[in-house]
Amino acid sequence: MGSRMARNLLRKGFPTTVWNRTPERCESLVKEGARAAGTPFELAEHADVVVACVADPPAVERLVFAEDGLLGAARPGFRYLECSTVSPETTRRVQAALRERGADALEALATGSKNGAENGTLLFMTGGDPPSTRS
Ligand SMILES: NC(=O)c1ccc[n+]([C@@H]2O[C@H](COP(=O)([O-])OP(=O)(O)OC[C@H]3O[C@@H](n4cnc5c(N)ncnc54)[C@H](OP(=O)(O)O)[C@@H]3O)[C@@H](O)[C@H]2O)c1
């Protein structure tokens, strides 16, 4: 799902940086113009918005809260979109940690499966605070 979404961002001309636990899986996106980050921290350093699409809550823990996780690079204005299927508790924990750093998160579940991700036709159902309450 994530690689297909990233490919569509590249096709639309958005500067895109990618990170994956298994770095080799980023190679085709790099050939198509993406920049590869070595760690989630580096990913967040180079992005205003990170779209997370990993397997499960432990994968989100690794992405966000590990020593080289993206939380360390979160700053005011930074945004995190959670497209991974995780528990409400995980979503709230990530959101609270980001808010402590002046950043914020949106829950962004998608329907449309891999074809939708490939064709750029995913439908997102988002949850978060209205814009007026965000930094
Ligand atoms: N497939 C769908 O139709 C669909 C639709 C809506 C939502 N989703 C949700 O989107 C998420 C991704 O789904 P997918 O179909 O793209 O799954 P996938 O192809 O199995 O990809 C899973 C991704 O999670 C990474 N990952 C797994 N464990 C990790 C860990 N401990 N630390 C860091 N990264 C880890 C994997 O990295 P490696 O490459 O290193 O293994 C891979 O990049 C899931 O939460 C799924 O429920 C899927």
Side-chain angles (χ1 to χ4, degrees):
M1 291 293 286
S3 59
R4 289 166 172 84
M5 287 192 257
R7 188 162 287 113
N8 269 309
L9 290 173
L10 283 169
R11 284 182 185 146
K12 299 278 183 194
F14 290 99
T16 302
T17 304
V18 293
W19 173 83
N20 196 67
R21 176 180 62 175
T22 309
E24 297 74 31
R25 293 194 172 149
C26 292
E27 282 171 6
S28 59
L29 287 167
V30 169
K31 281 186 189 144
E32 292 170 52
R35 183 183 189 283
T39 63
F41 179 92
E42 191 189 323
L43 174 75
E45 262 189 321
H46 287 275
D48 301 320
V49 179
V50 166
V51 182
C53 194
V54 290
D56 51 20
V60 169
E61 289 283 326
R62 190 271 166 267
L63 176 68
V64 177
F65 295 108
E67 200 175 321
D68 63 357
L70 62 77
L71 185 61
R75 59 208 176 267
F78 175 80
R79 295 289 181 262
Y80 174 90
L81 287 184
E82 184 62 85
C83 299
S84 322
T85 305
V86 293
S87 61
E89 291 72 27
T90 300
T91 302
R92 289 190 198 108
R93 190 163 118 70
V94 169
Q95 187 180 53
L98 287 168
R99 284 184 176 171
E100 276 185 22
R101 299 184 65 96
D104 209 346
L106 267 188
E107 188 173 27
L109 303 180
T111 63
S113 196
K114 294 196 173 177
N115 284 342
E118 192 146 335
N119 298 328
T121 56
L122 290 174
L123 175 69
F124 286 91
M125 290 159 285
T126 58
D129 285 345
S132 59
T133 63
R134 285 190 234 134
S135 58

